[in-house]
Amino acid sequence: MPWRLLRFALSKHHPEGRMFTPHSRLKPHYDVVIIGAGGHGLAAAYYLARDHGITDIAVLEKGYIGGGNTGRNTTIIRSNYLTPEGVRFYDESLRLWQDLSTDFDLNLFYSNRGHFTLAHTDAALRTCRWRAEVNKHYGVNSEVVDAAFVKRTVPMIDLSCSGHAPILGALYHAPGAVARHDAVAWGYGRGADQRGVEIHQQTEVLGIEVQAGKVRGVRTNRGNITTGKVLCAVAGATPRILRMVDLDSPLYIHPLQAMVSEPVKPWLDTILVSGSLHIYISQSSRGELVMGAALDPYELHSTRSTLDFPEGLCAHMLDMFPFLSTVKVMRQWAGMADMTPDFAPIMGKTPIEGFYLDAGWGTWGFKATPVCGKTMAYTVAHDHHHPLITGFTLDRFRRYALTGEKGAASVGH
Amino acid sequence: MKIMTCPINGPRPVSEFVYGGSVRDMPDPHTCSDDEWAAYVFNRGGAPGVKREWWCHTASNTWFIAERDTEQDRVLRTYLHGEEG
Ligand SMILES: Cc1cc2nc3c(=O)[nH]c(=O)nc-3n(C[C@H](O)[C@H](O)[C@H](O)COP(=O)(O)OP(=O)(O)OC[C@H]3O[C@@H](n4cnc5c(N)ncnc54)[C@H](O)[C@@H]3O)c2cc1C
């Protein structure tokens, strides 16, 4: 590493190529157009190129790479969900995460921390047991632990939560992890770029042309493109894209906010989530406490922050960790979460031929980035659903066949 | 949005209100098709725009309708159900 750095000091020119190839104009046609250069869109491009030999792809991004929810999330990675569909899907994602850094030759700062879902009520403890049993059945490492175990692992915690909401136990998920979010988008983006995929930033999709129920092309602020396949991976902007193709969906958009504290010495090496207090917290490798809470309470298509959010979050944080009262908040921000009524995503084919959806990832889609890329690439390449996503299709609502992941995803993480 | 106007109690801090979702017309369950009913139950006009929404002033338990721009977060007007004027 020092030698590599020395090259930069000695060379008159920048000794390394750019991370992404710039493209001055759009071609008139691509085999596949992907809307959205977040982790999901770029991962799909990467696996289409790497595993399916499809490289004539344009990824269109209205802002910059990873500037959407990918770059705004609190990076919790786990697979302790509640439904068999969910557990199988997220567990495959967790497996894919393990060798991504090597795959990309890029450090993703993937850090295995262990993940606690704290139970403050009998009902919450019951859900923890249920989740643990579903998880174990599918070979996922989860167990219910008592309050003393929590205290041993996190000595700074006030188990009584200032007397308001005593912790009775927790669901402990040893594989829980965090990772560097931007690097995930960059890694997938560079991998796709090296295989011939074109990534166009500052390129907004303004319309989608559909004829006789089939996708024909897209209209952008930099010109029109013809294509037979469009993958929409735009998170909080999904309803706007669906309006372009006249599709209705159960998606609704609420902001989700997060914040970080000033950096402090390492004292928390696990991830803690409390549904009752509506908070979650981990400590980043820079020492900042990364904190989040529940969704904002009403629909809004904007990434504004509010003062109510840090106020409420800090109050609950102090219930659990009174010693944090002197620590300052550094930054806060928001993303637009695309929510579904059953807290499961909407993935796969749609009534429009050649129009594929990867949406409904709300507050929980970062961890799923690798498996979404992989399964959506398969689905787009074969025009046939990957077996892992058949429980997540848009038509499940018409069939009243919801997936019911709420118990495991109701706090944003 | 920090202040909202309750049609009964006047301007109040937004923390006194809860959101009750968009105003939606229910199809007749006896005559509509299964697809129409599923669309009513699940689908939401998720795109941004000026929407008519149910809100409740919790301190006085007053339910009313607000017309709100869901991109700018600006309330255009509020009124009681049936008193649209
Ligand atoms: C505060 C917060 C915390 C979160 N915490 C977690 C967590 O701890 N763990 C977890 O697993 N998940 C978490 N999530 C959810 C997670 O961030 C998302 O589900 C995931 O990142 C979605 O990735 P994406 O690639 O689909 O979308 P994005 O990263 O949002 O990418 C979509 C891209 O599409 C672009 N776009 C939109 N419209 C257009 C258009 N018309 N034309 C061209 N481009 C367009 C946008 O600019 C954007 O860059 C959190 C989300 C938020 C907001």
Side-chain angles (χ1 to χ4, degrees), chain A residues 35-42 60-77 81 203-206 233-238 240-241 244 255-258 280 333-338 358-359 361-369 412-413:
Chain A
I35 315 177
H40 286 223
L42 293 169
L60 308 180
E61 166 56 52
K62 77 170 177 199
Y64 58 93
I65 290 173
N69 288 357
T70 299
R72 296 164 190 270
N73 83 93
T74 43
T75 80
I76 299 175
I77 297 167
Y81 278 75
T203 307
E204 181 172 3
V205 171
L206 303 172
V234 298
T238 309
R240 304 179 203 216
I241 301 284
M244 296 174 190
L256 179 66
Q257 304 191 50
Y280 58 95
W333 65 90
M336 290 187 288
D338 42 336
D358 174 18
W361 280 109
T363 64
W364 55 86
F366 175 69
K367 63 182 72 64
T369 305
H413 49 290

Side-chain angles (χ1 to χ4, degrees), chain A residues 27 211 358 389 413:
Chain A
K27 293 195 296 180
Q211 272 171 15
D358 174 18
I389 67 169
H413 49 290

